[in-house]
Amino acid sequence: MTHLMILPILIPLLTGASLLLLYPTPVGVQRLVSIASTVMLTLLGLWAVSTAGSGELTLYHLGDWQAPFGIVLVLDRLSAIMLLLTAGLSLFCVLYASRGIDRQGAHFHALFQFQLAGINGAFLTGDLFNLFVFFEILLIASYALLLHGGGRARSRAGLHYVIINLVSSALFLLALGTLYGLTGTLNMADLALAVAATPAAGQPLLTAASMLLLVVFGIKAAVLPLLFWLPRAYSASSAPVAALFAIMTKVGVYAILRVFLLVFGLGESPANQVAWGWLWPLALLTLGLGGIGALGSASLRTMTAYLVILSVGTLLATISFVTATTLGAALFYLIHSTCMTAVFFLLADLLGQQREQGYDRFSDIAPMGHRWLLGGIFFIAAISMAGLPPFSGFISKLWILQATSGEPQGFWLWGVLLAAALLILVAVSRAGSGWFWRPGKMTAPRPLDRVCVWLVCLMIGVSAGLSALGEPVINYLELTAEQLLVPQAYIDTVLPESARLAREVAP
Amino acid sequence: MNTIDMSWLLELVIAVFLLFGAVVALVGSWGLAKLPDLFMRLHGPTKASTLGVGCTLIGSLLYFSHQQSGVSVQEALVTMFLFATAPVSAHMMAKAALRRHLKCVTRTRNPPGP
Amino acid sequence: MTPQPHSRRLLNRGLRSRQFWLPRPLFSLFLALLWLLLNHFSVAHLLLGLVLGVAIPFVTHPFWPERARIKRPWRVLRYVLVLLVDIFWSNLIVAVRILRPERHLQPGFFRYPLELDDEFAITILASTISLTPGTVSVHYDAEAHTLLVHALHLEDEAATIAGIKQRYEQPLKDILR
Amino acid sequence: MIATVIPIALTLFTLGALLNLYRLVIGPDIVDRILALDTLMINSIALIVLADIRMGLGVLFELALLIALMGFVSTVAMTKYLLRGDVIE
Amino acid sequence: MSLGLVILIPLLGACLTAWQREGTSRNLALMAALPAVLSLVLLLAWLPEVLAGVTQVQRLAWIPSLGLELSFRLDGLSWLFAMLIIGIGCLIVWYARYYFAGKPGAGRFFTLMLLFMAAMLGIVLSENLLFMLVFWELTSLVSFLLIGFNTDSQGARRGARMSLVITGGGGLMLLAGLVLLGQAVGSYQLTDVLAAGPMLRAHDHYGLILGLVLLGAFTKSAQFPFHLWLPHAMSAPTPVSAYLHSATMVKAGLFLMARLHPALADTELWFSLVTVTGMLTLMVGAFVAMFMHDMKGLLAYSTVSHLGLITLLLGLGTPMAMAAALFHLVCHALFKAPLFMMAGYVDQATGTRDMRKINGMWRFMPVLMGLSAIPAAAMAGLPLMSGYLSKKMLFSESLQLATPDWAVAVIPVWVTLAGLFSVAYSIRIFHNVYFNGKPIDLPIWPPREPRYAALAPIALLAMLSLVIGLMPAEAYRWLVHPAVLAARQTLLPQYEFDQLGAALPMAMSLVAMAGGLLFYAIRKPLFRLHARLPEVDAKEIFDWIMRWVIELSQRRVYQLENGSLQRYLMFLLVTAVILVGLELIRLPDWRGPLPLTAIDPLTAVAAAVLCLSAIGVALFHHYRLPALLLLGVTGLFVTLTFARFSAPDLALTQLSVEVMAVVIMMLALSFLPQQSPKESSGARFGRDLVIAGLVGAGIATLSFAILTRPYESIATFFLANSLPGGGGTNVVNVILVDFRGFDTLGEITVLGIAAVAVYAFTRDLHLKERVAGSSAGHWVAEPHPIMLSMVARLVLPIALLVSAYIFLRGHNMPGGGFIAGLITAVALTLQYMSGGLVWAQERMLTHFRPLIGGGVLIATATGLGSWLFGRPFLTSAFGHFDWPLVGEFELATAMLFDLGVYTTVVGATLLILANLGKLMTVSGPGKEVG
Amino acid sequence: MELLYALTLGVLTSCGIYLLLRARTFTVILGLTLLSHAVNLYLFASGRLATSAPAIVGFADHSADPLPQALVLTAIVIGFAMTAFVVVLALKAAVELRNDHVDGENPDEDRP
Ligand code: NA
Ligand code: NA
């Protein structure tokens, strides 16, 4: 047993708590501590990816209690990827925020660290109720971060976001109650066995619980009828927060993958079939809506918010084919889209600060400082976002197309995906040409924060790097997908033999 | 429940306490429901319920003191607490009623002015 | 940070004084006793009770600005006994009044002129009035130094006031003088 | 004897609680309702104690204590609000 | 990777010019020419291999899993195209050096130009289809920047966007097509794909693949109806137009069709799609070109027409059609580039491109006239010129067709007619500019002829046109034949130029020439006639479509995402009801096998009260305070329910939480309106009732179904191990602090974050006026009634004692750190209420955030303590100690953990309350709260 | 008893949902509170209904399922944190937006 495994949760938790305990801390120290913690998380992410790369699951028994009874943390390839992605993304966000945005409200860094603890916990836990708890941690922290900086738009969007998520939490508890009431267990591996062992007469109740979970995760992930909280919430929040939120919808996607592939994924005709059946059309519609919304949005942040929706649609539509290649392709797309939407949120702030008026609105024609530099960055970011070569967007699109080409329903995805790509192209070219090609000089030049520019460039560099080093990444993701599709291996590792035997004997 | 070794007298005392408490409390609640204005209604619960619940608690105290060897005064604590707080609650409610200029029944003597 | 008047006062008083470490010995004892009653008796609980008895007044005494002046503690017992008996009978009386048709009731307000001037004593008196026969203290008028009382059945205002004076206010003055 | 008395006492307290609820619903003023809720809290203390005796377990005492404390605090909060338009100032 | 160098060198050159973007156009041109020439030399070095028919393939892995490789291919076809790209590129650099003299933006131009060159080279030199696509998209992007080069001009911006959308869209189609193609073949390497022709043509997806690939090619090569972007790309600087339209961008599509010919061509579908598109493009382009008054516009449409011509040839499928197509492609590049250059010079010299104004330029620019006569003649297809031969090759090939019948009949006439038009517009651009009377209202006067050095590129290209016209067979053998062989992947004989002397092609050629002359002669009435036709501006239409699409999306999106929470919640709930409901309906029997337990009357009454109070809240929600009271009743009865069903811990927690929540709501209520307006319509009311009823029914059904079913629970483990393993008899508490202590750690973290968040976002909140108007100064409304203050103070120490009692008892009996914390918090809240915020602050600790942080830290540190013993996080330890005098007592780490819980709860609750209280304090002293 | 319990749950949920769909923040919070009561009771019931059987070792011969109780406890605390948060947020929004409509603006009718 290695204690490194729990550090992705404990480090940010301790950092956040210490920042509260030692208040009032000078903002410089807060930044230092927060950045140091995030760097450590990144290193841990790298460790996790290399450890999980062996294909073996790493377990951590909290309180030294065996699996179905105590809470167990499980590190597999998927968790490792998500940890690394979160850590990397948050490193950029915290650095960007440390350039001044963290001063706009109280306790940015403490809340940021708590947010990370919540997200990492959600990725690591092997217990369904514990997943709920970590969801709540990441949600409450996200509410606070969303409101960071104040203002009416944030209050309004925040209220909607909070209320919808409260309802979602209630549904989560209902699902947990149903599952526990029928199976008497909460550990995901144990649940999987129990679900598979339930006779057909009891299946509809379990499926009903799975549907509740689908709604809950669908709200987090932002699937079609459940996504309307997202555009305003994301476009209202401050840049580094919105950039961090790029991972939040992915938490929903992660939960869908984890729960539906593991808990409901066992047996001859797994219970997750119903979920995939619903997810496919809804995700496709989500994808379409994301494209249309991106085209119809009035500001860069709103557009990016719709791009988040689009990415979720793409992801879930691809996932719902449930083959090793489609899952792998979806994961690649997940990484790419998280990076790029984050880039766009930061870029919107960078551009907005340099515009004479209108911030990031498309309708205002206003001079912009440093327009060639910023225009160049925007151009490259837009290329990657639109899925044009040679950046990661192209690779991910290519993989998705290849992975779904053999599927009977694949052409629907192709059609919508390519149409949406065209819509993005129209949207970003309209935005870019309107902003950077219009004439006009700034009346008063504004300083451009070089560090912020470098951060954005570096993030785009990540997209390029993802493309350049595509092969190892793809191989890793393919293995990840294969691991996900074999829940029995997960169960065999997590549960001791006695627990498994008990399930088999039970009627 | 082990009542065999409990002396008959103690049992009787407990029973009387419990019943008396219940009756008194019911009368208090009846007053709350029946009396015509708020100031009069205040009298029912603040006293009757206090005593009613107090008796019940004493009954319980006796019961558990006997049941589990040793004195069980936790109930006494609750009673004490109720007796300390009930007047304050009544006081605050009466003030609130005055503040809201609630009507008294017309035959009330010296109705307070504004 | 804004200055904390109370902590400064504490420091001025000196860290070595008994007042600092044990502001209310009687109350501390009471708490320790209460602790033992709440839990079953054992040496461990006695020690713990004493620790709490010291610690809790230490933490809470800033909330108690004036020191208790219970001069004759033995009279408290008598006062409580009288009160309990009164409560019992008053309840019976009130119960009967409530159960009878309400037209027999003659509610009314009266102002009770206070002789006590200590806030703590006034509170005890007001509580006593509220707990006993058909009366509720409604408002304390600090300027007129009176207590506004509502009575469920007010037949003779002067007699009621005199009764309160004699049964409760006078003993209270004795206890707290 | 106690076994027969307790159900009677429980019934009486329940009746009392229903009367409290009646007052709580009809009002007419908010103070009446607060008074009703306060009484309801106190009556439920008795209900809990009786239930505890009936079960013979003695695990509900803390609940009774807590209801006494919390009932008081919430009554104070509500009346304070009515008096001043705020609770803490 | 020597082939890669051909691409890499211009790329590096682009970096160089970008770096030195502030230099003069001469220096920049030199900088740009250097890499171009280097690449050209490299390419020429491979001529022997190309002539020998060797196909060189160089491969480098990139992402083999996706079939994506950095692999290059050099054969005749790619060599020919690469030569054109680099060769004409060199001349364009030369030309641009003069064009940009004294103008801004030279650096940007040369950078983009070299990038573009690299991208084009990438297309033609790729062996891997996906790798080719990378460059394909790159040309779209760079051309977007080139077309929008004059950023001040709205036309340029629109033209750029339009070209990007059309070519980008085509790129997406091509991507789809190529992926399908690759999946069908099993490889994206050209070698494999070209060898798989028969299999592909028989494949299920052949039609789809062909359609998608052709859409990509057609959009890029401006085939009808995607030709719209090309003329509007004329807003670009002339060097850009010259480069894009002669040798590069538009030829990419043709290259692709030629490249994939062995794989996809020679089917009826190919014939119909390609030939018909080519015919339409040929005619539309030629027709529109005749009537253009803008020099560059005329040239652009003539380009469209010539692209159509080549496409037509590629579609025909006759043995030598490929030869004719590629031959004409070379000729077109050689005459179109100088014509564009000429148009640029005339534009610079006169300040306009309108041929109605530009007349009689022979007087001012005689040399230019002399030089441009040759490419103009070539475009017209006059004898001795390259164009003459290529046009006759077209006529000749059009006569070779045997099937289908319509084509045999129509195509010869069609191409003759198009030839006629091309003669007409060629004459027009030459005659109209250099003769046709005197200039009218030229913005620049007098027009000056450019320097001779500037004319050199035109001269060179004109000479090449002439050379090819004079020595077609040699030119064909050296340049085109290897390309034809590579494109067809079969052995073909040399083209027999002698056969062009045959009667029928000759006659067609003569008809075209005579007809063209005649047509030009009667141009005036034709122009008038044309002017009466409704004018269709593609740019306007495109913009209108774009605006319409955008507005439509905005409206559609707004209809869904209209900012109404009620609507979002409705979507959410309806989704849940449908998804869950459909499963519940499938349930065979809602009631499980377990027998129902008997209902006792008291519980029934309590349930009724619970229901009625909840309904009361719903009914009276407009009256907020009464609703809050009823909510309190609901909470109380939920508490009683927990107590009734053997959950004392839950009852305790529920009660204390409920009271704190009501107090907080009460605090908030003092700022909110006291009543909610009635604003729901009847229909809305009904709809909500239905949704609420359905959700309630669903929950009830689920709950009943579960309650009546047996289950096997892991709980037996907890009951058995609580005392031996966790050291406590209260199993619930042991679960909370030990078995599932991690949950509890998370739970207090949530509480702490919530409190800190409340602090953070109320910090700058200023409540100016209170919503609840109070007629202050009523005599009873004193702030701190003494009775309350006194009793509150008395309660505090007792409550603390009780806290301690509940805290210590928790492990074995109902209680625990959380409830103890709430009791403490409530007692302190009572101090706030009785004495006021300021009064209480002076007497207690006011820094609650450290309390929260400290609490979480205590709990975490307790968990970390187990590391010292080599145990996992949160492993508990406990022990019974027996000290002399003191007796036996138990100590457990769980207690320390619970202390963390206690501390956090106190801190969080008070932080929230104190901050809310602070909001109430309009002004005044008071310490900082938090 | 089970049927009664389920029906009570249904009523609580319905009232909560109905209030949740109203247009004022305060009402929505009332609805959320009712809903969380219902959800807690539901989760609690997943351990079945037990009378006179607290999950305390050595108190009764049989014992209620302690796990759902622990879960509900956690859920109650989290629910409390969330309620406190959303109440203050609603207050903030009402003050900043000058009305307490959930959408921050005061339409005459609920929006469709
Ligand atoms: Na002319
Ligand atoms: Na807990």
Side-chain angles (χ1 to χ4, degrees), chain E residues 635-929:
Chain E
L636 182 64
F637 275 83
V638 171
T639 304
L640 294 179
T641 311
F642 287 140
R644 163 74 182 77
F645 294 113
S646 318
D649 282 282
L650 272 185
L652 289 173
T653 314
Q654 173 68 42
L655 184 81
S656 33
V657 155
E658 180 68 21
V659 168
M660 284 313 293
V662 168
V663 169
I664 290 172
M665 284 193 212
M666 193 80 70
L667 280 164
L669 194 56
S670 58
F671 293 96
L672 296 172
Q674 299 308 295
Q675 298 199 347
S676 304
K678 292 197 163 94
E679 47 195 348
S680 291
S681 64
R684 162 59 72 92
F685 185 78
R687 190 199 77 185
D688 291 350
L689 274 183
V690 169
I691 294 176
L694 284 173
V695 177
I699 302 292
T701 312
L702 267 175
S703 175
F704 186 64
I706 291 170
L707 281 172
T708 51
R709 279 170 163 75
Y711 76 127
E712 293 258 339
S713 164
I714 54 173
T716 41
F717 177 87
F718 299 128
L719 290 167
N721 285 280
S722 174
L723 196 52
T729 52
N730 182 0
V731 187
V732 177
N733 187 272
V734 176
I735 292 178
L736 286 174
V737 297
D738 196 341
F739 293 114
R740 299 186 67 90
F742 203 46
D743 277 345
T744 308
L745 182 62
E747 158 205 321
I748 60 170
T749 310
V750 170
L751 191 60
I753 300 172
V756 173
V758 165
Y759 166 82
F761 74 70
T762 53
R763 204 179 53 147
D764 301 323
L765 190 63
H766 298 293
L767 303 180
K768 285 184 188 69
E769 69 266 27
R770 187 160 301 165
V771 187
S774 55
S775 56
H778 190 273
W779 55 278
V780 281
E782 74 215 294
H784 312 302
I786 57 157
M787 265 185 91
L788 176 58
S789 319
M790 286 298 147
V791 171
R793 287 163 212 188
L794 196 74
V795 165
L796 181 62
I798 310 274
L800 289 183
L801 194 79
V802 171
S803 281
Y805 170 72
I806 298 233
F807 177 87
L808 289 176
R809 222 166 111 86
H811 213 43
N812 294 313
M813 293 293 287
F818 182 80
I819 299 156
L822 269 181
I823 292 175
T824 306
V826 162
L828 289 172
T829 308
L830 194 60
Q831 308 309 310
Y832 277 123
M833 290 196 290
S834 67
L837 189 70
V838 178
W839 181 86
Q841 295 293 346
E842 281 173 2
R843 282 160 180 78
M844 60 194 273
L845 179 79
T846 52
H847 296 301
F848 302 125
R849 282 170 287 163
L851 221 50
I852 298 171
V856 175
L857 278 180
I858 291 173
T860 316
T862 310
L864 284 174
S866 46
W867 284 8
L868 298 177
F869 306 96
R871 292 315 185 102
F873 186 68
L874 281 176
T875 307
S876 66
F878 64 93
H880 293 268
F881 301 86
D882 198 352
W883 282 0
L885 281 179
V886 174
E888 193 189 323
F889 60 96
E890 184 192 350
L891 282 179
T893 54
M895 254 175 197
L896 207 55
F897 183 82
D898 230 9
L899 183 67
V901 175
Y902 172 85
T903 316
T904 313
V905 169
V906 172
T909 314
L910 286 177
L911 183 60
I912 294 172
L913 280 164
N915 270 292
L916 267 176
K918 189 192 67 186
L919 292 178
M920 318 273 162
T921 331
V922 179
S923 64
K927 290 193 292 181
E928 188 200 350
V929 185

Side-chain angles (χ1 to χ4, degrees), chain E residues 24 68 175 243 253 316 393 441 494 525 593 622 691 785 788 873 880 921:
Chain E
T24 63
L68 188 52
L175 171 64
Y243 197 41
L316 284 182
M393 287 164 90
D441 293 339
Q494 292 269 336
H622 293 292
I691 294 176
L788 176 58
F873 186 68
H880 293 268
T921 331

Side-chain angles (χ1 to χ4, degrees), chain C:
Chain C
M1 228 192 292
T2 46
Q4 293 178 307
H6 218 89
S7 48
R8 191 180 299 164
R9 215 185 308 156
L10 286 178
L11 285 173
N12 289 347
R13 226 185 270 165
L15 294 170
R16 282 159 188 262
S17 70
R18 187 190 62 84
Q19 284 183 349
F20 180 82
W21 290 111
L22 198 64
R24 281 163 217 283
L26 212 60
F27 191 62
S28 295
L29 212 63
F30 170 72
L31 286 178
L33 197 71
L34 201 60
W35 181 259
L36 284 179
L37 290 175
L38 274 173
N39 300 283
H40 58 92
F41 179 86
S42 72
V43 179
H45 272 303
L46 178 66
L47 288 176
L48 194 56
L50 286 175
V51 167
L52 285 169
V54 173
I56 289 176
F58 176 73
V59 176
T60 58
H61 89 269
F63 289 89
W64 289 26
E66 62 288 307
R67 311 198 51 218
R69 277 146 301 176
I70 298 177
K71 291 284 181 299
R72 296 167 196 172
W74 60 93
R75 293 212 181 169
V76 175
L77 213 64
R78 217 192 108 198
Y79 184 84
V80 171
L81 256 163
V82 169
L83 182 59
L84 282 178
V85 172
D86 284 357
I87 287 174
F88 181 77
W89 286 115
S90 77
N91 267 296
L92 289 187
I93 294 165
V94 168
V96 171
R97 284 194 180 134
I98 287 174
L99 291 172
R100 281 164 60 191
E102 62 171 75
R103 65 192 144 78
H104 294 287
L105 288 175
Q106 173 54 64
F109 286 90
F110 65 90
R111 284 178 186 273
Y112 177 82
L114 284 165
E115 287 173 32
L116 294 164
D117 43 28
D118 178 76
E119 287 192 340
F120 183 65
I122 293 169
T123 304
I124 303 240
L125 182 64
S127 297
T128 310
I129 290 172
S130 291
L131 284 170
T132 48
T135 47
V136 174
S137 45
V138 171
H139 177 65
Y140 165 63
D141 190 339
E143 280 165 36
H145 208 58
T146 56
L147 209 55
L148 182 64
V149 180
H150 181 266
L152 184 63
H153 186 71
L154 186 63
E155 277 171 309
D156 183 351
E157 192 178 319
T160 313
I161 291 175
I164 294 173
K165 273 237 142 44
Q166 181 252 321
R167 281 187 82 78
Y168 309 119
E169 193 172 15
Q170 205 52 48
L172 265 180
K173 274 161 85 178
D174 289 346
I175 295 172
L176 294 169
R177 189 176 354 258

Side-chain angles (χ1 to χ4, degrees), chain A residues 358-422:
Chain A
Y359 197 65
D360 67 337
R361 291 187 68 78
F362 294 142
S363 56
D364 296 79
I365 300 160
M368 175 182 286
H370 308 278
R371 68 170 170 146
W372 291 117
L373 174 67
L374 294 177
I377 296 173
F378 180 83
F379 184 71
I380 293 171
I383 292 173
S384 181
M385 184 57 112
L388 295 179
F391 295 99
S392 57
F394 174 70
I395 307 294
S396 68
K397 193 159 66 187
L398 186 62
W399 196 4
I400 290 178
L401 292 180
Q402 289 189 1
T404 54
S405 68
E407 305 293 330
Q409 288 177 312
F411 288 116
W412 285 101
L413 179 62
W414 280 42
V416 182
L417 191 63
L418 294 176
L422 188 61

Side-chain angles (χ1 to χ4, degrees), chain E residues 355-356 358-359 432 436:
Chain E
M355 284 185 291
R356 284 165 298 188
I358 307 167
N359 295 319
N432 239 344
N436 198 29

